[in-house]
Amino acid sequence: KQEVTQIPAALSVPEGENLVLNCSFTDSAIYNLQWFRQDPGKGLTSLLLIQSSQREQTSGRLNASLDKSSGRSTLYIAASQPGDSATYLCAVQTGANNLFFGTGTRLTVIP
Amino acid sequence: GAVVSQHPSRVICKSGTSVKIECRSLDFQATTMFWYRQFPKQSLMLMATSNEGSKATYEQGVEKDKFLINHASLTLSTLTVTSAHPEDSSFYICSAGPGSRGNTEAFFGQGTRLTVV
């Protein structure tokens, strides 16, 4: 069964710092990998989707990479802002079309 | 991106009553929708896959008679928590996505916070 792990579980950084969130998965037979943002008590906002054939995707200050063979993905956030504070979840999609989620990284950006 | 709307966002009910949660795809048709449950400070766990026009597929350990799923149209799936108990209190969230099977970007509803008292 697919298992998704995220490290670190929590991260606190000063405003303006660049940071990297890590995601690893055990089964490389995936269709894609998505990064989401979740604010407390809210739903999930899709940030980036990387297809299994792609190596990276960029959106604004966010850059996500995928190394499918090693079962790893990273989310890079440049010039962090207090508004970036949230829980970040990665999820991999399998042939069944559902998602396997990691446990999330709770990010706090200190003004 | 595509829009998925979930209602209600918050509900409090008495133990023993039933609660219905709606999930709608607003700008696309979804033959498949997914229902997840999230406990505090934990990740999302898939409960069931809702299939339009057919029975839902439940994950191991999820009681299908307790969590009734109906997917009567291509834009609406409902989850009914029957005879709710305090241990059913949780955050329920649905997802759907346009695109072909096996390669679909997932979009999520706003989630429903259920509290059973």
Side-chain angles (χ1 to χ4, degrees):
Chain A
K1 182 182 175 183
Q2 180 75 263
E3 292 185 6
V4 183
T5 305
Q6 289 184 248
I7 296 173
L11 181 63
S12 185
V13 300
E15 181 177 1
E17 194 163 294
N18 302 326
L19 58 101
V20 175
L21 307 181
N22 298 290
C23 172
S24 61
F25 47 96
T26 56
D27 186 348
S28 62
I30 64 171
Y31 280 97
N32 60 55
L33 182 145
Q34 269 185 269
W35 282 93
F36 296 91
R37 168 188 173 136
Q38 184 177 31
D39 292 288
K42 304 293 184 182
L44 276 66
T45 300
S46 179
L47 298 174
L48 287 165
L49 168 72
I50 311 177
Q51 301 291 353
S52 62
S53 58
Q54 296 176 322
R55 299 284 294 182
E56 67 176 336
Q57 282 287 330
T58 298
S59 176
R61 294 182 293 109
L62 306 179
N63 176 276
S65 69
L66 174 64
D67 185 343
K68 186 180 161 185
S69 60
S70 67
R72 297 186 182 191
S73 176
T74 61
L75 178 66
Y76 175 83
I77 303 178
S80 58
Q81 303 171 358
D84 295 332
S85 297
T87 295
Y88 290 82
L89 296 162
C90 72
V92 295
Q93 186 173 51
T94 66
N97 229 18
N98 62 290
L99 297 175
F100 290 90
F101 280 87
T103 47
T105 294
R106 189 169 67 255
L107 173 65
T108 303
V109 180
I110 303 167
Chain B
V3 179
V4 175
S5 177
Q6 191 172 336
H7 178 80
S9 59
R10 216 176 263 275
V11 59
I12 301 173
C13 70
K14 291 185 178 181
S15 187
T17 62
S18 296
V19 173
K20 181 185 283 188
I21 304 169
E22 293 186 348
C23 180
R24 294 180 185 272
S25 56
L26 297 187
D27 51 0
F28 66 97
Q29 293 183 329
T31 56
T32 305
M33 292 185 176
F34 301 92
W35 287 96
Y36 294 84
R37 182 173 181 174
Q38 186 178 34
F39 290 103
K41 297 187 179 181
Q42 294 188 27
S43 193
L44 281 74
M45 295 297 294
L46 180 68
M47 297 176 64
T49 302
S50 173
N51 304 298
E52 188 269 334
S54 64
K55 292 182 179 180
T57 305
Y58 291 82
E59 295 300 299
Q60 191 173 8
V62 178
E63 299 177 59
K64 61 181 180 182
D65 294 331
K66 180 167 188 61
F67 298 100
L68 299 179
I69 292 173
N70 184 281
H71 194 154
S73 78
L74 287 170
T75 59
L76 174 64
S77 175
T78 60
L79 169 68
T80 301
V81 183
T82 63
S83 187
H85 292 284
E87 56 264 32
D88 298 324
S89 298
S90 188
F91 188 67
Y92 294 87
I93 190 166
C94 68
S95 80
S100 59
R101 181 178 179 83
N103 192 7
T104 304
E105 182 172 3
F107 295 91
F108 283 79
Q110 306 92 319
T112 298
R113 171 73 59 192
L114 170 63
T115 303
V116 184
V117 298

